[in-house]
């Protein structure tokens, strides 16, 4: 058997394996270069084509592109008139953007604890937290798995509260055979680590025509768009401000990258699934590291992330130490996510929440995202698992 020192050197002689890397082809590059040469690089016809292609892909009646999923969420907060006194139900186990937007608008985030195995909120927990002040319910499709949309929609309809799905991880995810984004209102992210990218970008999908119209107005200064503008994919120079808005339009330079990526979304997700299956197989014998549980409902996973829970007692080290040791072996990892209510600003703002979200807090100390991206080779998965075994066999 090789000594720990020798295996350490053998592993780290390989190039660093990041936990994520965008998959960019020559076709992607050519598409962007064509836009750069075209004389029109900001929002224009390509953005409209991306919206139409994404809308068609998920089957949604309306889609509108913006510069990030965070921008999309901001516009939805604005469209719903969220302000002081309003409560927003969302998990603490999510990216910080939704909770920041709630606080910035003067509203109060109300954190729903998550299922310990899937990291997703449950319909029962959301129902329990609804009050007369609840204005939005914003659950997160986690890591590419689908939320229990049947249960969550039932609660939202019964309570009369809009449901916004954070589908940043869910491009290509399906629930009961239906693509996430087809029904209701959801936001997608095209940040470089997501399943498809526009560099930076985001998309609203909705079946609410009025909401879509309001969103489109808010994303560009609040200028009115009439029927003629919609048909010509432009905006007349005479357009007037109908209400103050923002500047979140997605440039064609970015949109065309998304269009090119969208043609490969299924292939890229299939590749992610192959890699994920290999992780599941190889990790089945590693007791200290447990992949997230898969929900019981009928869904199609888009494998945005491969998250494991590190058994810190058996491993004899903290999750952060586990990550550092993998890094020393040339393996990058991530955390999706650190509980928001435990981060400095929120600890100070809402100290009473500490200790009230046991499954969130338990996972916040244990989860770690292993490398997963379409350009990885199955051999890279073997390398990650070998490094994990090496780290675990060399506990201090
Ligand atoms: C990435 C992400 C976002 C934000 O997406 P941006 O496009 O970077 O604004 C929101 N929610 C979740 C769950 C995310 O992972």
């Amino acid at each position: 058997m090789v000594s720990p020192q020798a295996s350490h050197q053998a592993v780290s002689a390989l190039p660093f394996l990041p936990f994520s890397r965008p998959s960019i082809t020559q076709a992607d590059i050519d598409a962007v270069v064509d836009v750069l040469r075209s004389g029109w690089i900001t929002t224009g016809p390509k953005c409209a084509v991306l919206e139409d292609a994404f809308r068609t892909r998920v089957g949604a009646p309306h889609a509108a592109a913006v510069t990030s999923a965070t921008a999309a969420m901001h516009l939805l907060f604005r469209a719903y008139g969220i302000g002081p006194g309003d409560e927003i139900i969302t998990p603490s186990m999510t990216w910080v953007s939704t909770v920041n937007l709630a606080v910035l608008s003067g509203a109060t985030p109300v954190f729903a604890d998550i299922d310990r195995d899937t990291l997703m909120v449950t319909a029962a927990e959301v129902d329990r937290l609804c009050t007369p002040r609840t204005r939005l319910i914003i659950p997160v499709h986690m890591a590419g798995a689908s939320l229990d949309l049947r249960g969550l929609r039932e609660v939202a309809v019964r309570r009369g509260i809009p449901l916004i799905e954070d589908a940043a991880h869910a491009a290509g995810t399906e629930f009961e055979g239906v693509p996430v984004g087809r029904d209701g209102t959801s936001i997608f992210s095209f940040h470089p680590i997501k399943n498809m990218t526009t560099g930076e970008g985001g998309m609203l999908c909705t079946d609410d025509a009025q909401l879509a119209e309001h969103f489109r107005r808010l994303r560009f200064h609040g200028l009115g768009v009439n029927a003629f503008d919609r048909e010509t994919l432009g905006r007349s120079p005479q357009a007037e401000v109908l209400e103050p808005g923002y500047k979140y339009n997605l440039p064609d330079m970015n949109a065309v990258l998304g269009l090119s990526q969208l043609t490969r979304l299924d292939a890229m997700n299939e590749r992610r699934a192959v890699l994920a299956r290999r992780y599941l197989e190889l990790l089945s014998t590693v007791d200290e590291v447990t992949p997230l549980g898969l929900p019981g409902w009928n869904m199609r996973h888009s494998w945005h992330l491969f998250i494991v829970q590190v058994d810190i007692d058996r491993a004899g080290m903290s999750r952060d130490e586990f990550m550092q040791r993998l890094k020393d072996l040339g393996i990058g990892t991530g955390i999706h996510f650190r509980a928001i209510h435990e981060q400095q600003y929120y600890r100070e703002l809402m100290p009473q929440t500490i200790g009230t979200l046991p499954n969130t807090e338990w996972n916040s100390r244990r989860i770690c995202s292993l490398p997963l991206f379409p350009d990885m080779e199955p051999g890279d998965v073997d390398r990650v698992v070998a490094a994990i075994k090496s780290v675990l066999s060399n506990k201090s």
Side-chain angles (χ1 to χ4, degrees), residues 68-71 94-95 97 140 166 168-169 187 189-191 194 200-201 337:
S68 68
T70 305
T94 182
W95 182 233
S97 51
V140 181
D166 183 336
H169 298 183
I187 55 133
S189 171
F190 302 141
H191 178 277
K194 307 293 155 94
E200 296 280 358
F337 296 96

Side-chain angles (χ1 to χ4, degrees), residues 30 72 159 200 235 332 370:
D30 292 345
R159 297 277 189 175
E200 296 280 358
R235 200 179 307 257
L370 303 180

Side-chain angles (χ1 to χ4, degrees), residues 21-63:
R21 185 194 289 148
S23 170
I24 302 294
T25 62
Q26 190 60 45
D28 292 344
I29 294 168
D30 292 345
V32 177
V33 169
D34 283 349
V35 170
L36 286 170
R37 293 193 201 284
S38 73
W40 188 277
I41 60 178
T42 188
T43 309
K46 299 295 185 194
C47 182
V49 177
L50 174 64
E51 289 176 337
D52 206 46
F54 198 81
R55 187 183 65 67
T56 304
R57 162 72 212 241
V58 304
H62 310 278

Side-chain angles (χ1 to χ4, degrees), residues 95-105 109 340 345-346:
W95 182 233
V96 294
S97 51
T98 301
V99 178
N100 283 345
L101 288 168
V103 169
L104 286 168
S105 67
I340 294 173
Y345 175 83
Y346 291 100

